[in-house]
Amino acid sequence: MADVVPTPASGSTKGSDVLFSIKTRLQAAIPDLVRIVAQPNPSLAQYRAERCVALRFAEPNPLTMAGGGRYGMPVTRTLEVYVGTQNLLDQAGEDEALVLAHLDFEEQVINALVDDVPNTDRIAISVLFIPGGSKIEREVKGDPGMGYSVLLFEVKYQLAFSVVDVGVS
């Protein structure tokens, strides 16, 4: 009788592995608070770190007319990156120090993510910076030194399906 063994398709990966790889890359490049969230809420106190990043993955979207079915279905997900910066060096009515610090931090995040996710298992992950997101705003009530913005990235990878390997005995 043949053994039926489900194994992952070659070069495929799980979305959770992709998101964890992205978080790991950010933590290696930026020694700040990086968290994975289901629904970011910058008004909460735990977002008030000097510099912080919250990652949120959108739903997977299959790439039409591409791939090899269960042996390699490429998908894309939008990665929302919530970037927060605290800076209390501005005088009343000014935002210069906050904006300049925030712009530098945004660019560090972009530099850390774009097409440079660690692939220790040789999985194909592509991260592209895409248009959209939001401008810098002061979203935390009662904390005039906090500024937030959202950056958007498109993450492409092969969805991890199990492939049945029927061995011959």
Side-chain angles (χ1 to χ4, degrees):
M1 175 163 198
D3 294 327
V4 178
V5 182
T7 58
S10 176
S12 65
T13 191
K14 297 184 293 188
S16 58
D17 292 338
V18 173
L19 187 56
F20 186 76
S21 293
I22 290 170
K23 179 183 178 188
T24 302
R25 174 62 183 146
L26 271 172
Q27 287 175 322
I30 301 170
D32 295 287
L33 180 62
V34 178
R35 71 181 77 217
I36 295 172
V37 296
Q39 181 63 45
N41 187 353
S43 65
L44 296 176
Q46 65 260 31
Y47 280 84
R48 296 183 187 171
E50 186 174 336
R51 297 189 329 168
C52 57
V53 176
L55 305 173
R56 181 180 184 208
F57 240 178
E59 72 282 349
N61 295 302
L63 289 174
T64 57
M65 305 298 290
R70 295 189 70 82
Y71 289 95
M73 177 180 280
V75 296
T76 64
R77 287 182 186 257
T78 299
L79 175 67
E80 298 172 4
V81 180
Y82 292 75
V83 180
T85 307
Q86 183 179 46
N87 190 303
L88 298 171
L89 299 177
D90 285 316
Q91 295 181 13
E94 292 185 8
D95 293 327
E96 182 177 340
L98 172 67
V99 169
L100 295 177
H102 190 80
L103 290 174
D104 288 346
F105 190 42
E106 279 183 334
E107 290 178 6
Q108 280 184 293
V109 169
I110 294 166
N111 187 42
L113 287 181
V114 173
D115 275 339
D116 201 15
V117 176
N119 290 324
T120 56
D121 295 327
R122 302 269 185 222
I123 55 177
I125 302 171
S126 171
V127 180
L128 304 171
F129 185 41
I130 59 174
S134 72
K135 61 187 178 220
I136 303 170
E137 295 182 16
R138 293 184 183 273
E139 294 186 19
V140 180
K141 293 178 181 168
D143 192 347
M146 287 301 298
Y148 282 91
S149 64
V150 180
L151 303 173
L152 298 180
F153 295 85
E154 180 181 71
V155 180
K156 294 181 185 177
Y157 63 97
Q158 286 191 30
L159 195 60
F161 282 128
S162 295
V163 179
V164 177
D165 182 19
V166 180
V168 180
S169 298

